[in-house]
Amino acid sequence: MPTVYVNDKPVEIGAKRLNCVQAAELAGVFVPHYCWHEALSVVASCRMCLVEVGDLKDGKVTMQPKVVPGCQTPVKDGTVIVTGEYDKRDRALPVLPYDPNYTKAAAPGERAKKSQADTLEGLLLNHPLDCPVCDKAGECKLQDFSFKYGRSESRMVDVKNAPPNKPHLSSKITLFTDRCILCTRCVRFTREISGTSELQVVGRGHHEEIDVFPGRPLENKLAGNVVDLCPVGALGSKDFLYKQRVWYLKTTDGVCNRCSTGCSTYNDTNKDIVYRVRARHNPEAQGHFICDEGRYGYHHANSGERFVRPVAKVEGKFKPVPWSALLPQIKQEFADAAKASPKGVVAVLSPFLTAEEAFLFGSYFKSLAPDVRLALGPVPVVGEDDKYPKNVRGESVEPVKFTIRAEKAPNRRGVEEVLKQLQGAVIPFATVAGESLAAMWFCGGYPDKSHLDALVPTGWKVPALLVAQDLLPTVVTASAKYILPATTGFEKDGTFVNHANYVQTFPRAAKPPVEARTELQLAFDLLGRRGLVQPDAVRKELAKAVPFFGALAPETRLALEVAGERGA
């Protein structure tokens, strides 16, 4: 088995094609870097990942006389890597037989350590002391690496170079030019991932800067990713600029609900307010990046138009009603409607519901009468799948690295699986919209109300009893007898199934408005169950009832993990 030695620690790499940074990571050793990124091409421009490299052959280690960039140096069987933190190596491991002439000039790791300090000093020569006002402060690699690998004092005595900032770079992104360390991650992203190539390096030497091509601002649909990619505070999101310090934010894993790709995300909140959405690497979903529709598509959670309390239509006007009085009344009216005309009662389950919510709602309405129908809510589809990278004519090229799905719902497949299990068929909303119904419960939760308004037939027959549960005012809520506040994807704890049947479970990132009840809690109450709902318990119940979700059961997950370990 091919073996690489990192600070004297042997690591088997198998058939993997790795560079020194990746091999060191397998050994549990972090090699600092700025320009290198797993999803981008290698340029070795920042020189932060300098390491000492050699070969173990015939029982002797022959080291190269100079440090080399770890990101650009591939490893093979017998490669020896020495990082700047060699002095923190595992003392229980035997020391490799280094050439005495090599160790005589400097101890192992000293060359790399000095090189990293020199690199940081060079990067900080013209870098401004913007940390007190910079949005990146608290998660900046320049801060972190300067503290861990740099020198405590600067020898810079000349006036710093301070080129003007470029707020015109994009409608969503601004560039603080003097903070840029020219790692070129952003340039390579626009060339290799989006394919739109708006960014470039202009000037030479001391005058090099990042800029856009004349008349071509950074406006592609993946542009926000350059802010995540930037290791310092040079590229800032205008949407987040100066709003929060990152150390005040609580980061929670999430799943984007703006299309059927189901991108894995980080949701950053403070005091139950969503301030930022970032990409979370997941090779099973979308990889390293997210689109701007998902990144900036959280504002509905903070909208002033949101329904925040239950209301009932009294004498043609909506008036607030407490849950304690409203819920028994609604339950009684639906029970009476199901008894009188079960086929005239329909529950519309939105593709924005989690699988757990759809399961409990479906179970409740089927408990009223077997003939009560469950329908799949309108599924927004906008245009066609948008694939990247693109060529100069805006046409997608192979291999496709990112796709923005035309289907703008996160859990159509998950809700369909619940419907198939509970009633054996999936009934589209359009099928029941034209019928004269006695009662309808419409579960919405659409973050973009225009999507729903476009899918509701203009001549649809409003049922005599209509309960609309949604986030924002729509044509459905305008005709409802009762309006119940829905919760956003940030206020749920549940499971989504994406376009490829990939199942993702995520926790709640923020609490819903004080007078709102989550859909899961409301369905729990409708079923007559007491207390606060426990999402894990409902998930276990779902896994037992619906075979598609069987892997979500704890005992099944354990069996799958054991099988995976045996297979490996």
Side-chain angles (χ1 to χ4, degrees):
M1 181 71 74
T3 302
V4 173
Y5 298 86
V6 181
N7 292 345
D8 299 342
K9 181 179 180 179
V11 180
E12 294 182 352
I13 61 172
K16 298 176 182 177
R17 300 179 64 182
L18 307 175
N19 59 32
C20 292
V21 176
Q22 295 168 307
E25 186 179 357
L26 287 179
V29 178
F30 177 71
V31 176
H33 55 273
Y34 290 117
C35 68
W36 181 76
H37 190 278
E38 185 180 4
L40 304 175
S41 60
V42 178
V43 293
S45 63
C46 74
R47 274 346 201 216
M48 192 63 213
C49 63
L50 294 173
V51 293
E52 302 167 34
V53 174
D55 290 292
L56 176 61
K57 189 174 183 181
D58 298 330
K60 295 181 180 180
V61 176
T62 304
M63 300 294 290
Q64 296 183 27
K66 294 183 179 180
V67 291
V68 297
C71 66
Q72 201 178 37
T73 306
V75 298
K76 62 182 187 304
D77 185 29
T79 297
V80 176
I81 303 169
V82 177
T83 74
E85 294 188 296
Y86 181 83
D87 56 341
K88 297 179 182 179
R89 59 180 289 277
D90 187 351
R91 302 292 178 182
L93 296 171
V95 178
L96 294 178
Y98 295 99
D99 187 341
N101 293 326
Y102 185 80
T103 56
K104 183 179 179 180
E110 287 301 316
R111 295 173 179 83
K113 188 173 184 179
K114 181 181 182 302
S115 299
Q116 289 171 347
D118 290 344
T119 297
L120 282 167
E121 185 176 27
L123 292 175
L124 288 167
L125 284 180
N126 289 304
H127 198 81
L129 190 58
D130 283 353
C131 301
V133 296
C134 180
D135 266 15
K136 199 74 172 183
E139 55 184 12
C140 174
K141 287 187 176 181
L142 198 56
Q143 282 183 339
D144 296 341
F145 294 171
S146 296
F147 176 77
K148 194 169 183 180
Y149 307 104
R151 298 190 176 96
S152 58
E153 296 181 2
S154 172
R155 294 180 289 174
M156 179 68 170
V157 295
D158 298 317
V159 177
K160 291 178 180 285
N161 180 36
N165 296 331
K166 298 183 175 71
H168 64 273
L169 195 76
S170 164
S171 62
K172 298 176 181 177
I173 299 163
T174 186
L175 173 63
F176 298 91
T177 314
D178 53 351
R179 300 177 190 170
C180 180
I181 62 171
L182 286 169
C183 69
T184 69
R185 279 186 174 188
C186 56
V187 176
R188 284 175 283 149
F189 175 84
T190 59
R191 294 182 181 181
E192 299 166 14
I193 307 300
S194 69
T196 46
S197 303
E198 298 97 338
L199 296 179
Q200 62 173 330
V201 179
V202 300
R204 289 292 181 268
H206 186 64
H207 301 287
E208 281 189 333
E209 296 177 13
I210 301 294
D211 207 343
V212 292
F213 284 90
R216 291 192 61 191
L218 183 60
E219 296 295 346
N220 70 74
K221 294 181 181 180
L222 306 182
N225 289 289
V226 301
V227 178
D228 292 346
L229 284 170
C230 185
V232 295
L235 289 165
S237 169
K238 293 180 180 178
D239 182 69
F240 180 70
L241 205 62
Y242 307 132
K243 287 187 177 179
Q244 283 283 306
R245 281 304 197 179
V246 297
W247 49 83
Y248 293 140
L249 297 176
K250 177 185 176 183
T251 299
T252 310
D253 290 353
V255 177
C256 180
N257 67 346
R258 300 310 297 246
C259 84
S260 60
T261 297
C263 294
S264 298
T265 61
Y266 290 118
N267 299 324
D268 294 330
T269 62
N270 184 22
K271 297 180 180 178
D272 297 317
I273 298 174
V274 182
Y275 284 99
R276 186 172 65 171
V277 175
R278 296 175 293 133
R280 173 166 57 93
H281 178 225
N282 185 350
E284 298 295 328
Q286 87 292 357
H288 291 84
F289 310 111
I290 60 174
C291 71
D292 284 1
E293 185 177 350
R295 181 181 300 275
Y296 304 119
Y298 66 88
H299 292 286
H300 64 281
N302 308 326
S303 172
E305 289 187 285
R306 273 193 70 176
F307 296 115
V308 295
R309 60 181 60 87
V311 295
K313 187 174 285 185
V314 180
E315 298 178 355
K317 295 183 178 180
F318 288 110
K319 296 183 179 180
V321 182
W323 284 105
S324 57
L326 183 66
L327 202 57
Q329 183 177 344
I330 292 178
K331 287 184 66 175
Q332 186 60 52
E333 290 187 35
F334 268 88
D336 293 343
K339 185 177 181 180
S341 175
K343 290 185 178 180
V345 177
V346 173
V348 180
L349 304 184
S350 160
F352 289 86
L353 292 177
T354 65
E356 294 86 348
E357 291 167 346
F359 174 69
L360 284 193
F361 270 118
S363 299
Y364 165 68
F365 285 102
K366 282 297 182 181
S367 71
L368 296 177
D371 289 336
V372 170
R373 289 176 291 172
L374 306 176
L376 174 66
V379 180
V381 177
V382 180
E384 299 179 350
D385 290 353
D386 193 6
K387 299 178 180 180
Y388 292 84
K390 296 182 181 296
N391 58 22
V392 293
R393 293 180 294 277
E395 303 164 339
S396 63
V397 296
E398 297 291 337
V400 174
K401 297 181 179 179
F402 193 92
T403 303
I404 304 173
R405 303 282 164 187
E407 183 180 304
K408 302 302 180 184
N411 197 34
R412 173 184 61 83
R413 295 208 173 199
V415 174
E416 284 181 346
E417 291 298 330
V418 171
L419 295 178
K420 290 175 186 177
Q421 183 66 29
L422 294 179
Q423 71 179 5
V426 176
I427 303 173
F429 172 74
T431 303
V432 299
E435 297 182 17
S436 298
L437 301 174
M440 175 185 286
W441 187 299
F442 190 96
C443 291
Y446 290 78
D448 190 334
K449 61 181 181 180
S450 64
H451 288 168
L452 178 58
D453 288 344
L455 292 171
V456 176
T458 53
W460 82 297
K461 298 179 181 178
V462 180
L465 172 60
L466 175 60
V467 175
Q469 189 173 13
D470 218 327
L471 295 167
L472 304 167
T474 65
V475 294
V476 177
T477 61
S479 306
K481 181 178 181 180
Y482 302 102
I483 300 177
L484 307 181
T487 54
T488 68
F490 308 103
E491 299 156 359
K492 300 175 184 290
D493 184 320
T495 302
F496 284 159
V497 183
N498 78 351
H499 69 101
N501 282 347
Y502 178 58
V503 180
Q504 295 184 84
T505 296
F506 55 93
R508 184 182 71 182
K511 295 178 183 176
V514 176
E515 295 184 55
R517 289 191 188 183
T518 66
E519 285 87 337
L520 201 63
Q521 182 67 57
L522 180 55
F524 196 75
D525 296 338
L526 289 172
L527 284 165
R529 303 181 186 182
R530 296 184 177 183
L532 295 176
V533 65
Q534 300 297 322
D536 285 341
V538 177
R539 194 169 299 126
K540 187 175 181 179
E541 184 180 348
L542 168 70
K544 291 182 178 179
V546 184
F548 178 85
F549 295 100
L552 295 178
E555 57 271 17
T556 309
R557 280 204 306 269
L558 181 60
L560 290 172
E561 289 171 5
V562 171
E565 290 173 0
R566 288 174 179 171

